[in-house]
Amino acid sequence: MTAKYSITMYCPRDGQYIAKNMRDNDVFECRAAGHATPEEAIDTSVEESVQAWTFCYGNVPLCVFGYVPDTAGGAVFWLLGTDEIKRHKREFMRRSKLFKGYMMKHYDYLTNVVCMDNHESVRWLKWLGAEFCEESAVIMGKKFQRFYVERSDG
């Protein structure tokens, strides 16, 4: 029997698994954002989010993600995952485009900050159409930049 992909509503068990197996770059970004642990980062993100989901292969969570609406018509988008996501890149990319389409129906843009040394995430965000602000901040010795993925109504 082949395992299949799914996106399900977030549950704490998924967050615990992701926290224990989180990608090093995501752990660093959680610390840079002021979270003591990956578990705290996930818990806080989920609590602040309007909705949060888990992307799984079979029963194995690959990442958790969600969004927090801002006051200007957009949403702060976040995603925290495991290294296992690399083995499922094609389906992850396909599902990312679908999720982006869903979000763009509700918000004018998606935004957040990313560590520019997190090359996989930067490449993924560019693939989703992200534009990066010229201004940057150095946090814990690394450059972070804000990105925007804007809705195109044409």
Side-chain angles (χ1 to χ4, degrees), residues 48 50 66-78 103-112 146-151:
E48 293 176 356
V50 171
Y67 64 94
V68 181
D70 67 18
T71 58
V76 177
F77 169 68
W78 60 271
M103 294 294 297
M104 293 289 94
K105 289 180 185 174
H106 303 283
Y107 299 100
D108 295 333
Y109 60 86
L110 305 176
T111 188
N112 207 331
R146 177 161 299 284
F147 67 84
Y148 290 91
V149 178
E150 295 186 339
R151 178 170 62 201

Side-chain angles (χ1 to χ4, degrees), residues 115-154:
C115 177
M116 297 309 286
D117 286 350
N118 189 343
H119 302 294
E120 289 176 350
S121 291
V122 170
R123 200 170 29 249
W124 172 67
L125 289 166
K126 286 180 179 178
W127 183 80
L128 284 176
E131 299 286 335
F132 293 82
C133 295
E134 287 186 30
E135 306 85 44
S136 63
V138 176
I139 304 170
M140 294 175 56
K142 299 204 180 205
K143 180 178 163 184
F144 281 74
Q145 283 183 262
R146 177 161 299 284
F147 67 84
Y148 290 91
V149 178
E150 295 186 339
R151 178 170 62 201
S152 59
D153 291 326

